[in-house]
Amino acid sequence: MIVVMKQGATAAEIGAVIARVEELGLTPHPIYGENHTVIAVVGEAAIHDPDNFQAMAGVDTVTRIGHQFKLASRQAKTEDTVISLNGASIGGRKLVVMAGPCSVESRTQMLETAQAVKEAGAKLLRGGAYKPRTSPYAFQGMGLKGLELLAEAREVTGLKVVTEVMTPEAVPLVSQYADILQIGARNMQNYGLLNAVGRTQRPVLLKRGMMSTIQELLMSAEYIMSNGNYKVMLCERGIRTFEPMTRNTFDLNAVPLLKQLSHLPVIADPSHGTGRWDLVAPMAKASIACGADGLIIEVHPHPEVAVSDGAQSLKPEKFAQMMRELKPLAEALGREL
Ligand code: PEP
Ligand code: MN
């Protein structure tokens, strides 16, 4: 942390800041300039908000240096985290593709989609049994029946299952069915939920909140990891901007930046990122090109009658075509699909 004193700060004010730093068990390194005194503070206080220095007389600015996320950071672990799911591994050279409908709707829908995405090369089946909808009157998901259909599709195809859990209370139940627990964008900062999935050993797909910064996403990963679950995947799914022609603005800056800042696998979601099926394949390619470790893609056999997110869902044949196009791209980038 760097504390910059105001021009003309008195010796007593400077002395008070230094004394407070020492009181916290930290080491002050004052630099006396012609106009400003700067106090570099080294060390870490267990219970202290660095911003509190801002409240002290004579202080101009307080700047934190270093990251608040630790377990998630590259500094903590330089090599990429690879999460193994017996049958699929996430992170590392091989790319992973998760695909399926937004919502689990019926047995035929799930079995048909699962078969199709498997044939096209997906390793995981997605589908929400509990849906976080903007309107309480919109379809909320099939619940337990939806989880059972996901498990049946896994049984038939061998695909692993990724599905959303919305409340801490539902974590034990959803964990019985899911190979990966999805934390949705709307719940990225639901700390009770993050703590609850952190207490399990199920891998977690943590989606970036639609109004959350990259730092906040990493802090949410830190919540999960600080509870003992290190199997976290970070997911870029688009953020809100002023642009109305796409559902979200797919922030691909986040992908290489997250890879720099963190050792955790990064999954890109061009379906929610764009909200338009015709933009999904180009942005999936862009995601791989900028270093994503995998994709999560919405696929529906009949998008025109989907109960949620039909407009951004690929038909199975379009998904298969996208997968064929991604393969040589992945290879050119030294990855494998
Ligand atoms: C979803 O995956 O269908 C979903 C609800 O995503 P998000 O939380 O990113 O909106
Ligand atoms: Mn969706």
Side-chain angles (χ1 to χ4, degrees):
M1 173 178 54
I2 306 281
V3 182
V4 178
M5 302 301 293
K6 284 183 178 144
Q7 191 162 6
T10 64
E13 288 168 344
I14 295 167
V17 171
I18 291 174
R20 179 70 185 135
V21 167
E22 285 169 341
E23 208 173 276
L24 289 163
L26 307 172
T27 312
H29 296 272
I31 303 151
Y32 299 96
E34 238 169 72
N35 298 314
H36 288 278
T37 295
V38 173
I39 303 159
V41 179
V42 180
E44 256 172 72
I47 322 166
H48 170 251
D49 182 353
D51 291 341
N52 285 353
F53 279 100
Q54 197 75 64
M56 294 185 76
V59 171
D60 189 8
T61 57
V62 180
T63 309
R64 297 179 197 218
I65 44 174
H67 301 302
Q68 286 176 276
F69 48 93
K70 297 185 185 348
L71 297 169
S73 83
R74 262 294 166 203
Q75 280 145 4
K77 181 168 177 273
T78 48
E79 68 278 15
D80 286 339
T81 285
V82 179
I83 299 170
S84 72
L85 273 179
N86 81 72
S89 70
I90 302 164
R93 210 177 95 82
K94 223 173 150 87
L95 300 171
V96 71
V97 178
M98 315 176 185
C102 180
S103 299
V104 179
E105 298 170 15
S106 71
R107 186 162 182 274
T108 45
Q109 173 227 25
M110 285 319 292
L111 293 177
E112 193 179 326
T113 311
Q115 208 63 56
V117 301
K118 184 189 174 170
E119 273 161 31
K123 290 283 182 285
L124 284 107
L125 177 65
R126 64 146 290 149
Y130 298 92
K131 296 302 300 177
R133 304 305 298 281
T134 304
S135 165
Y137 308 118
F139 177 67
Q140 302 289 307
M142 290 180 79
L144 178 58
K145 182 74 198 149
L147 295 177
E148 288 168 356
L149 292 176
L150 283 163
E152 186 182 348
R154 170 175 49 207
E155 194 67 27
V156 173
T157 59
L159 291 172
K160 304 285 173 201
V161 163
V162 53
T163 195
E164 179 158 354
V165 58
M166 282 174 49
T167 62
E169 302 74 52
V171 169
L173 176 71
V174 179
S175 300
Q176 282 176 37
Y177 292 87
D179 298 289
I180 298 178
L181 297 169
Q182 176 173 325
I183 302 292
R186 291 157 192 78
N187 269 321
M188 189 203 85
Q189 289 183 309
N190 181 338
Y191 300 117
L193 181 59
L194 300 178
N195 287 332
V197 298
R199 288 191 292 265
T200 75
Q201 281 303 313
R202 274 274 173 276
V204 178
L205 178 74
L206 176 64
K207 299 190 91 175
R208 179 181 180 183
M210 60 189 86
M211 290 157 291
S212 298
T213 63
I214 289 168
Q215 162 92 8
E216 286 163 343
L217 170 61
L218 288 162
M219 293 310 295
S220 290
E222 197 74 17
Y223 262 90
I224 300 170
M225 298 175 82
S226 63
N227 278 280
N229 186 352
Y230 289 4
K231 297 174 204 154
V232 180
M233 287 148 259
L234 306 168
C235 179
E236 168 57 41
R237 51 76 72 205
I239 52 173
R240 274 207 176 157
T241 67
F242 52 80
E243 177 53 65
M245 290 180 76
T246 49
R247 179 177 179 184
N248 289 294
T249 293
F250 193 32
D251 180 15
L252 284 187
N253 294 346
V255 174
L257 186 52
L258 286 169
K259 295 295 297 176
Q260 253 180 51
L261 294 170
S262 176
H263 53 87
L264 297 171
V266 176
I267 306 296
D269 176 352
S271 305
H272 293 87
T274 63
R276 296 174 48 144
W277 72 267
D278 55 345
L279 301 184
V280 169
M283 296 315 287
K285 292 172 191 165
S287 305
I288 299 306
C290 69
D293 297 300
L295 299 165
I296 182 162
I297 307 283
E298 286 186 342
V299 177
H300 195 293
H302 308 286
E304 64 285 358
V305 297
V307 299
S308 61
D309 290 352
Q312 66 194 36
S313 297
L314 294 181
K315 290 184 180 159
E317 57 274 20
K318 291 275 186 223
F319 175 71
Q321 185 188 334
M322 182 194 81
M323 292 292 278
R324 284 193 296 273
E325 290 169 6
L326 284 173
K327 206 172 155 57
L329 175 65
E331 278 156 19
L333 290 158
R335 308 294 292 261
E336 197 187 317
L337 188 65

